[in-house]
Amino acid sequence: RGVQAHRLCPLRGAGSSLEPEERSMEPPAVPEEEEEEEAVPLSVAPGPVGCQLFGYVGIEAVLDQMKIKTMKTGFEFNIMVVGQSGLGKSTMVNTLFKSKVSRKSSQPGQEERIPKTVQLQSITHVIEEKGVKMKLTVTDTPGFGDQINNENCWDPIIKYINEQYERYLREEILITRKRKIPDTRVHGCVYFVPPTGHWLRPLDLEFMRRLSKIVNVVPVIAKADTLTLEERAEFKQRIQGDLKTHAISVYPQEDFDQDPEDRALNDRIREKIPFAVVGADQEHQVNGKRVLGRKTKWGIIEVENPAHCEFPLLRDLLIRSHLQDLKDITHNVHYESYRVRRLNESNRPG
C-alpha cells in the first residue's frame, strides 16, 4: 500500500522521508530546456540606476565639507618657468598672481648676472584669497639657453623634476608615513618662446620633447607686443605645425580628456596654444580705472584685456579652470610612470 500511495502522490518531492531508498539513489531526470534555464546566473543584474529620493537627505553637504577642509588645510601648487633671460619670466609670474613672488623681489639691490650654467632657484610663498590658502612655489631657471654652447642644458631641469618625484616616493613607501606628504613636485612648466616670428629653434623643440614626457608643459610666446597681429597669427600656426610634426604633446594632452565636455573645452584651448602673453607689474590710469599694463608712446597695452593679449587665457588655464587637473595629471600620470620605473629598477636582481 505504501508503494501505491507514493505513486498516487506526484506532488511529493523526491527528497521526502517517505520516499523509498531505491528511488533516492538516482537523481530525477531533468529536461534539456530546464538545464538551459538553470545555467543562466541569477546574480546578474543591470548597472546602477539612479534612485529617486522621497525627501531631502543632505548628500550635497559633502561639497561644503570638502570646501571647509580645503580652506583649513590649504593646498600646494608648484610652477616652473623656463626661458632665456630678458623674456619677462619674473614679471609674468608677478602678473599671474598679482603679488611679488618672483626671485627679483626677494633679492633687492642684488645685481643680476647671467650664470655660466643653468641654475635653479625656488621661492615659496603662501598666498591667501577669500580664506583659501595656497602654498605657491615658483622655480626659475636662469642661464637656460643663454650660452654659446647649450648642449644638454636641460639636464639640470630634468634632474630637478625627477628629484622631486624621488622625494615624494621615499615619503610614500615609508612604513610609518606622514598624514600629509609634502608635495614639491612640479605641476606645470611654462616655457617662454622668444618672439622671433619665424619658427621654433632646435633648442625649443628638444627641450619640450624631453620635458613633455615627465611634466605638463605650457608654451607661451613671450613679449607678444613686439609682434603685429598678423605676425602673431602666423607664428602661432608655425609653432603648432612644429609641435605636431615632432609629436610633442603639450598641456592639455588629448590622451587625458575624460569626457566629451572636457574634450570640447580643451580643443578650444589647444587652438589658442601657444598663448601670446604680455606681462606687467605696474598699474596705469585708463578711462578712470587702474589697470595693469605697459605704457608706450602709442598708448597702454592692457595685460588683462583679451583684445590686447592672451594673458587672461593663460591665467584661466593655470589657476581658474585647470589647476586641479594639472595636479591630478602630475600625480596619476607623470609621477605614476616614474614610480613604476623606480620600483621595477629596485626589484631587478643585481
Side-chain angles (χ1 to χ4, degrees), residues 5 15 66 73 98 102 160 192 209 269 276-277 281 287 325 334:
M66 296 173 62
T73 59
K98 293 187 177 181
S102 68
Y160 175 83
F192 287 72
R209 185 184 69 83
I269 296 175
V277 299
D281 50 8
N287 297 329
D325 187 61
H334 298 305

Side-chain angles (χ1 to χ4, degrees), residues 8-28:
L8 295 174
C9 298
L11 298 178
R12 182 170 296 177
S16 175
S17 61
L18 298 178
E19 188 175 358
E21 295 181 359
E22 289 81 7
R23 294 178 59 88
S24 63
M25 295 289 292
E26 297 180 2

Side-chain angles (χ1 to χ4, degrees), residues 181-329:
I181 300 177
D183 191 3
T184 60
R185 299 169 296 180
V186 179
H187 300 129
C189 176
V190 181
Y191 186 78
F192 287 72
V193 178
T196 59
H198 299 290
W199 48 76
L200 288 175
R201 303 169 300 171
L203 175 64
D204 303 328
L205 291 171
E206 187 64 21
F207 175 85
M208 286 190 282
R209 185 184 69 83
R210 292 174 179 265
L211 266 291
S212 61
K213 298 177 181 178
I214 62 174
V215 73
N216 300 313
V217 178
V218 181
V220 298
I221 301 174
K223 294 189 174 182
D225 53 336
T226 60
L227 300 173
T228 63
L229 297 179
E230 292 77 10
E231 292 173 343
R232 184 189 303 179
E234 293 178 1
F235 193 29
K236 271 192 172 191
Q237 292 180 357
R238 291 173 183 172
I239 292 177
Q240 292 174 356
D242 289 342
L243 294 176
K244 187 176 295 184
T245 301
H246 293 82
I248 299 174
S249 179
V250 297
Y251 184 84
Q253 300 91 335
E254 294 184 5
D255 298 337
F256 305 147
D257 294 337
Q258 297 182 353
D259 50 50
E261 185 177 351
D262 289 345
R263 180 175 295 275
L265 173 62
N266 292 336
D267 284 341
R268 292 195 297 268
I269 296 175
R270 282 187 280 265
E271 292 176 357
K272 299 290 185 179
I273 286 181
F275 298 122
V277 299
V278 178
D281 50 8
Q282 294 182 357
E283 291 185 346
H284 300 278
Q285 194 79 15
V286 177
N287 297 329
K289 297 181 180 180
R290 304 289 295 180
V291 297
L292 284 171
R294 294 171 58 87
K295 188 175 182 180
T296 65
K297 294 182 179 180
W298 302 273
I300 296 177
I301 302 171
E302 301 179 23
V303 171
E304 296 180 329
N305 189 344
H308 292 186
C309 73
E310 294 175 342
F311 169 79
L313 300 179
L314 175 64
R315 180 190 57 199
D316 293 346
L317 175 69
L318 294 179
I319 301 177
R320 299 185 180 180
S321 62
H322 286 69
L323 188 147
Q324 188 60 44
D325 187 61
L326 284 165
K327 299 181 67 174
D328 292 341
I329 292 180

